[in-house]
Amino acid sequence: MTKLYITSGPDKGNSFEFQDDIVYIGRAIDNNIQIKDSSVSRRHLKIQKKGHRYFIEDLESSNGTFINGGQIGPGNVFEVKEGVPITIGRIVFFLGMVPPDARVGVKDLTDVTKDRSDTDMLSEFGDRPMTSSKNLELIYKVSNVLMQSLNIDEILERILDYIFDLLKRIDRGAIFLLDSKTGKLEQIIARSKHENGKTALNYSRAVVNKVIKNGEALMMPDMAKEDTDNFSDSMLQIKSVMCVPLISRSQIRGAIYVDSIIKPYGFREEDLFLLTALSSPSAVAIENALLYSNLERLVEHRTKSLRKTEEKLRESDTRFKAIFNNMSSGVIVYSVVNDGEDFIILDLNRAALKIQKAKKQDVLGNRVQDIFPELKETGLLAAFKRIVRTGRPERLSVTLKDGGKISCWREYYVYRLSSGEIVTIYDDVTDKKKAEKEQKALQKQLLVSQKMESIGAFAGGTAHNFRNILQAISGNIEYIEMLYGDQPEVQDVAKSIYDSVEKGVDLINNLLHFSSRGGEYQLVELDLADVIIKTYEIIDRVVNKNIEIKLDLEKDLFVRGNQSLLSQVFMNLFTNARDAMPNGGSLIIEAKKIEDEVIATISDTGHGMDKDTLEKIFDPFFTLKDVGMGTGLGLSTTHGIVEQHKGSISVSSTPGRGTTFKIHLPFVKTRDLKKPNPEKEIILGKGEKVLIIDDEHPTLEALANLTRSLGYDVIPVDRPVEALKNYSKWNPAIVLVDRSMPELDGVTSIRRIMKIDPKARIVVVSGYEESGPDGIDEDVKGLIKGYLTKPCGKEDLSRMLSGVLEEKPE
């Protein structure tokens, strides 16, 4: 049986028998022969046996396949004889036999893993002539380029021309330059002997970076002996590398990089000396060309500037006055008196007169402090004195005040003329500053909106998970009650658990209403006392225990409003009251009906507010809290919601004595909103088969037990895929399915069930509500027969099951 013998690499000395006619060799474990070496591709080549002949095909490997030293093209099939060396990456192997002297008759084949000295390897290329005279000729030619050209592209091209002309073993070369401003290394030009024109070179960044960092030339004659951990897979094809720094005036400007991808030991020490010798004049040439290019741009810029100056000098005094008076910026010219102790207004343009709200005849020839006394407090006159003394222009931002409040903002540019006069060019930027403040306010508002959206999403997910838990609790206790309900102690425990479940449901509903996740805003008749109580139940869990809360609410405080929005009103007021009493105090909440109004009063004993603060309390983004602790939108939102409900809100406060808010809402005459609880009626089944799909095991078990106790044959499944697979075999009369499941969501499960059984009766049982932001689409509603929100009790479940089963199939 034919064997494969490995003569280099980590598996050196091993042999493998051919078990099949087709054998794959590579680094991956799924090959027939696995070679664990980074130079070998995951699936490198295929060897096929036909009779006593062997054919080899390179599978587009990274480093290629060589037969007897010659590379074969990927995708082509070549016949190979026994005893002929085959090289993949750093691995050499033979088919059938290993010749007594494996190197005899092996043309151009180098064992890159064999431990051999540099001298031994270089002896293989002993036929290369020494090129000292040619080296000197090359350096002379490059020096001529430096003297004859300042074109950077031409210099770079000629340098590569000469390097490739002398160093015949070079396959690829590139020149890199350091950006003097950013320090970033950029590949300016690259060339490959095997490609036409310029190319983007996949070079050894580790080599180039090391040369740039140390400022020393580097040669790696045999990359196979280097640590390959620092190289990417694409660099494993490189056999030899040389890189020298470009140094000019003791500064590293870049590097010249060349490599060979055919054989190791493609360069010798003389080549490195040559490349190093070339680097210095090349660096000077490149730097001179760059300096010349920059100088040309500078000269061009200066020339344009001079032409503009000449044009301005040729302008008539009339034209100058027209420009002066039609500038949008204000301009004032001052003469300096008493060595800068005072300034006299010499001239000003129309824009300055408009900004200053003055007449020209009233200001010319007068002292600036007499005409514009408000400028003294801005620091502008002090800047005039500095500029008179130093001659350096300055930019200043100035604010003017009226009655202690900022009335306007100005931006000044002040400079000294050669005549010694002072000139100010300035703009009134009040509108710009206000626009910037408004933009910041809008950004804050957007941030708050995003936070509220996140809270809403969190509330919806929390409600779903919590309702699943409540479903498991309520379902199991109802099941236990049906089994052992005649025992008094069971009844007491069941009642206590029912109360707790009901409180949990109320808590979730309040949270959804507060986070605006409970559906669309609709105005309905409701009892304001109920709204306050539900909001209080939320805030009571987070209020410090050193704050005493007192509730005094009348009954039947009917108003027309939206529960979620009104809950937000009271939540904002309760939270502000809590923050105003960090050391404790009292929060008093009252609500009563007076004539045709419902009046709610919220009072605290906190630090209170002064008169100026009270005037701004409902302004958007006004807040007394530290940065990051409040947005200033709470009371503004509260005011808007109250007005939306056709009501009003007022506030009174005294520093150190607390704050009181009063909300007035129109009273609505309505019927008693309290609906009598319908008598609990349980409708039992008749053994119909019910398929229940829910990934939550506690919820699934509780719902299955509850359904089973109602007289149904139950098939509980926690994996939708399993339910779909066995649906036709089970043929259920009705399906209960959860909406949110990890493997396959409820909506997708519903659609697939309907494809299997178009007459299927499906009811969704979910922790999400049917409507609102987390609701289902109308097309999904058309596929189902009902929707139950968890936790659902046995009465609701029995009525839903019986009602759906009584419907006649379409």
Side-chain angles (χ1 to χ4, degrees):
M1 184 173 291
T2 304
K3 288 188 176 182
L4 181 148
Y5 299 89
I6 297 180
T7 61
S8 69
D11 294 316
K12 180 178 179 180
N14 292 341
S15 62
F16 300 87
E17 291 187 351
F18 273 61
Q19 301 292 337
D20 302 301
D21 290 339
I22 296 178
V23 174
Y24 289 92
I25 302 177
R27 196 173 69 246
I29 194 173
D30 59 346
N31 290 282
N32 300 95
I33 299 176
Q34 182 186 13
I35 299 178
K36 299 179 181 179
D37 188 273
S38 59
S39 66
V40 178
S41 298
R42 292 182 58 82
R43 177 154 288 194
H44 201 108
L45 77 159
K46 179 177 73 173
I47 300 177
Q48 186 174 7
K49 180 181 179 183
K50 296 183 178 179
H52 297 288
R53 301 170 69 189
Y54 294 89
F55 298 86
I56 188 168
E57 176 184 357
D58 182 273
L59 302 177
E60 297 185 351
S61 63
S62 299
N63 296 322
T65 300
F66 298 80
I67 300 177
N68 202 18
Q71 185 174 4
I72 66 174
N76 297 321
V77 179
F78 295 84
E79 183 176 3
V80 63
K81 303 295 184 180
E82 292 187 356
V84 174
I86 302 172
T87 304
I88 57 174
R90 292 189 288 261
I91 308 302
V92 178
F93 62 88
F94 295 80
L95 284 177
M97 58 172 287
V98 179
D101 183 359
R103 298 190 61 195
V104 175
V106 180
K107 181 182 178 182
D108 294 329
L109 178 64
T110 302
D111 184 354
V112 297
T113 63
K114 190 171 182 180
D115 187 12
R116 301 156 66 197
S117 68
D118 292 354
T119 304
D120 292 336
M121 292 301 291
L122 289 172
S123 66
E124 293 186 3
F125 308 108
D127 57 336
R128 293 178 56 180
M130 300 299 288
T131 55
S132 298
S133 59
K134 195 167 184 179
N135 293 352
L136 294 174
E137 180 184 353
L138 174 60
I139 295 173
Y140 175 74
K141 287 183 178 180
V142 173
S143 298
N144 282 338
V145 171
L146 303 183
M147 293 184 292
Q148 296 174 6
S149 175
L150 287 172
N151 184 292
I152 183 65
D153 293 330
E154 180 183 351
I155 289 173
L156 296 173
E157 289 283 357
R158 294 292 293 275
I159 290 172
L160 285 184
D161 286 344
Y162 288 127
I163 291 175
F164 272 87
D165 181 55
L166 187 63
L167 301 179
K168 299 299 184 180
R169 295 274 180 174
I170 293 177
D171 292 315
R172 308 183 307 170
I175 298 178
F176 302 85
L177 295 181
L178 280 171
D179 190 302
S180 59
K181 295 181 179 179
T182 65
K184 183 180 179 182
L185 186 67
E186 297 183 7
Q187 183 182 139
I188 304 301
I189 187 172
R191 185 183 299 174
S192 173
K193 183 186 295 183
H194 308 292
E195 298 180 17
N196 294 327
K198 299 179 181 179
T199 182
L201 190 66
N202 288 327
Y203 62 95
S204 174
R205 288 175 173 81
V207 171
V208 176
N209 291 337
K210 184 175 181 180
V211 169
I212 294 294
K213 180 180 178 181
N214 299 333
E216 298 178 355
L218 178 65
M219 180 171 71
M220 295 182 178
D222 186 0
M223 292 291 284
K225 294 185 177 181
E226 303 296 329
D227 183 5
T228 60
D229 291 342
N230 294 326
F231 303 134
S232 62
D233 289 344
S234 62
M235 299 309 302
L236 296 177
Q237 62 176 314
I238 298 175
K239 306 302 181 183
S240 305
V241 170
M242 284 196 302
C243 186
V244 297
L246 290 169
I247 302 176
S248 175
R249 288 186 285 185
S250 301
Q251 296 291 324
I252 298 177
R253 309 298 184 183
I256 299 177
Y257 170 94
V258 296
D259 64 26
S260 172
I261 61 175
I262 301 301
K263 294 180 182 180
Y265 291 88
F267 310 124
R268 57 190 178 188
E269 190 172 358
E270 180 189 350
D271 297 334
L272 184 63
F273 291 156
L274 170 62
L275 199 59
T276 303
L278 288 175
S279 67
S280 182
S282 298
V284 173
I286 291 170
E287 184 169 19
N288 287 343
L290 292 175
L291 288 174
Y292 179 76
S293 177
N294 292 335
L295 182 61
E296 280 188 322
R297 288 195 294 268
L298 182 61
V299 169
E300 184 180 358
H301 176 74
R302 293 288 178 85
T303 301
K304 290 181 180 179
S305 179
L306 286 173
R307 288 174 180 173
K308 290 181 180 179
T309 302
E310 291 174 356
E311 291 174 1
K312 289 181 180 179
L313 292 174
R314 289 194 297 267
E315 291 176 353
S316 65
D317 184 64
T318 302
R319 182 168 180 80
F320 169 78
K321 287 293 184 182
I323 296 174
F324 180 75
N325 283 317
N326 285 283
M327 290 178 63
S328 60
S329 300
V331 181
I332 303 180
V333 182
Y334 302 89
S335 65
V336 182
V337 295
N338 298 331
D339 294 329
E341 292 300 321
D342 208 348
F343 303 90
I344 304 296
I345 301 173
L346 291 181
D347 200 0
L348 70 168
N349 66 355
R350 292 172 185 171
L353 290 171
K354 183 178 180 181
I355 294 173
Q356 301 292 159
K357 299 178 181 178
K359 294 182 179 179
K360 196 168 189 177
Q361 62 269 22
D362 294 335
V363 298
L364 292 181
N366 291 297
R367 298 169 62 248
V368 64
Q369 297 187 57
D370 295 337
I371 301 301
F372 307 130
E374 67 275 10
L375 297 182
K376 184 177 181 180
E377 303 299 327
T378 63
L380 190 61
L381 297 184
F384 285 6
K385 294 178 181 179
R386 289 195 303 272
I387 295 167
V388 168
R389 185 176 66 256
T390 65
R392 291 194 295 268
E394 294 185 19
R395 294 186 181 273
L396 300 94
S397 296
V398 172
T399 56
L400 300 179
K401 295 184 178 180
D402 184 10
K405 296 182 179 180
I406 296 177
S407 59
C408 67
W409 287 266
R410 292 179 186 173
E411 296 287 344
Y412 278 86
Y413 177 67
V414 187
Y415 62 95
R416 189 185 71 184
L417 295 175
S418 58
S419 60
E421 297 165 338
I422 297 295
V423 179
T424 62
I425 302 177
Y426 65 103
D427 292 285
D428 188 319
V429 293
T430 303
D431 293 339
K432 178 182 176 182
K433 291 289 185 181
K434 289 181 178 179
E436 289 175 353
K437 292 183 69 176
E438 291 176 0
Q439 183 179 10
K440 290 181 180 178
L442 289 174
Q443 289 174 344
K444 290 182 179 179
Q445 189 176 9
L446 175 61
L447 179 61
V448 171
S449 175
Q450 291 172 338
K451 287 182 177 179
M452 289 303 297
E453 183 178 353
S454 298
I455 292 173
F458 171 76
T462 301
H464 168 263
N465 294 331
F466 195 38
R467 281 170 171 165
N468 272 331
I469 296 172
L470 293 178
Q471 178 66 59
I473 295 172
S474 64
N476 284 322
I477 194 59
E478 285 191 316
Y479 180 64
I480 292 173
E481 189 180 23
M482 293 182 72
L483 296 178
Y484 308 103
D486 55 343
Q487 300 180 21
E489 58 273 19
V490 172
Q491 294 178 358
D492 293 340
V493 172
K495 185 178 183 304
S496 176
I497 295 176
Y498 285 144
D499 291 341
S500 298
V501 170
E502 188 64 29
K503 290 179 181 179
V505 172
D506 290 340
L507 176 62
I508 286 298
N509 291 336
N510 288 339
L511 182 61
L512 287 174
H513 282 303
F514 171 68
S515 63
S516 304
R517 302 288 291 185
E520 299 178 356
Y521 291 130
Q522 296 181 350
L523 300 180
V524 297
E525 295 174 356
L526 49 81
D527 191 341
L528 190 65
D530 291 339
V531 176
I532 294 174
I533 290 173
K534 290 182 178 179
T535 309
Y536 160 76
E537 289 174 351
I538 295 176
I539 197 68
D540 183 51
R541 292 170 172 82
V542 295
V543 168
N544 297 334
K545 298 304 179 183
N546 58 0
I547 296 178
E548 181 185 7
I549 302 178
K550 299 179 182 178
L551 287 176
D552 183 8
L553 309 174
E554 292 183 359
K555 297 181 179 180
D556 300 335
L557 301 177
F558 300 126
V559 297
R560 184 169 181 79
N562 178 270
Q563 173 119 8
S564 176
L565 294 177
L566 291 176
S567 293
Q568 186 175 349
V569 167
F570 290 105
M571 179 64 72
N572 290 339
L573 296 178
F574 295 167
T575 303
N576 284 347
R578 177 200 64 186
D579 295 341
M581 299 182 289
N583 299 321
S586 297
L587 173 59
I588 302 173
I589 306 165
E590 300 176 322
K592 55 187 175 180
K593 175 183 176 296
I594 299 179
E595 295 181 353
D596 293 334
E597 288 186 325
V598 175
I599 302 175
T601 305
I602 297 91
S603 302
D604 65 67
T605 59
H607 49 61
M609 295 173 283
D610 57 25
K611 182 178 179 181
D612 290 340
T613 302
L614 285 175
E615 292 178 354
K616 305 174 184 176
I617 196 68
F618 294 114
D619 291 347
F621 307 107
F622 176 78
T623 179
L624 297 175
K625 298 178 182 178
D626 294 336
V627 176
M629 301 301 293
T631 64
L633 289 173
L635 289 177
S636 174
T637 303
T638 297
H639 186 273
I641 293 174
V642 172
E643 287 192 338
Q644 185 179 349
H645 285 73
K646 299 181 180 180
S648 63
I649 183 171
S650 60
V651 58
S652 60
S653 183
T654 303
R657 296 187 179 180
T659 303
T660 298
F661 286 90
K662 283 192 176 182
I663 297 174
H664 296 250
L665 294 172
F667 175 77
V668 176
K669 294 181 181 180
T670 183
R671 299 176 182 176
D672 189 357
L673 294 181
K674 298 179 181 179
K675 298 181 180 179
N677 292 327
E679 294 185 2
K680 297 181 179 180
E681 180 184 3
I682 298 177
I683 306 173
L684 299 178
K686 299 177 182 178
E688 294 91 339
K689 192 177 296 183
V690 179
L691 173 61
I692 305 177
I693 309 172
D694 198 313
D695 65 305
E696 295 284 345
H697 286 282
T699 304
L700 178 63
E701 291 177 5
L703 196 58
N705 289 335
L706 193 61
T707 307
R708 196 176 288 114
S709 68
L710 293 174
Y712 293 95
D713 181 11
V714 178
I715 304 174
V717 181
D718 61 356
R719 295 181 62 244
V721 173
E722 181 184 352
L724 292 171
K725 181 179 180 181
N726 296 285
Y727 182 87
S728 299
K729 179 178 68 176
W730 291 335
N731 191 24
I734 191 169
V735 179
L736 304 181
V737 60
D738 188 22
R739 274 181 55 190
S740 179
M741 294 180 287
E743 187 179 28
L744 195 67
D745 66 274
V747 173
T748 304
S749 299
I750 291 170
R751 298 185 190 279
R752 294 189 181 181
I753 289 174
M754 294 302 294
K755 287 184 178 181
I756 298 172
D757 181 10
K759 296 182 179 181
R761 297 181 175 95
I762 303 174
V763 175
V764 175
V765 184
S766 174
Y768 291 113
E769 295 183 350
E770 182 178 6
S771 60
D774 295 318
I776 57 176
D777 297 333
E778 291 299 324
D779 61 332
V780 179
K781 290 181 181 179
L783 300 176
I784 63 176
K785 299 299 182 181
Y787 196 105
L788 287 172
T789 302
K790 297 175 181 176
C792 59
K794 56 181 177 291
E795 295 86 4
D796 294 336
L797 181 60
S798 68
R799 285 196 297 271
M800 177 62 74
L801 291 173
S802 64
V804 171
L805 290 172
E806 287 177 0
E807 291 184 11
K808 295 181 180 180
E810 298 179 359

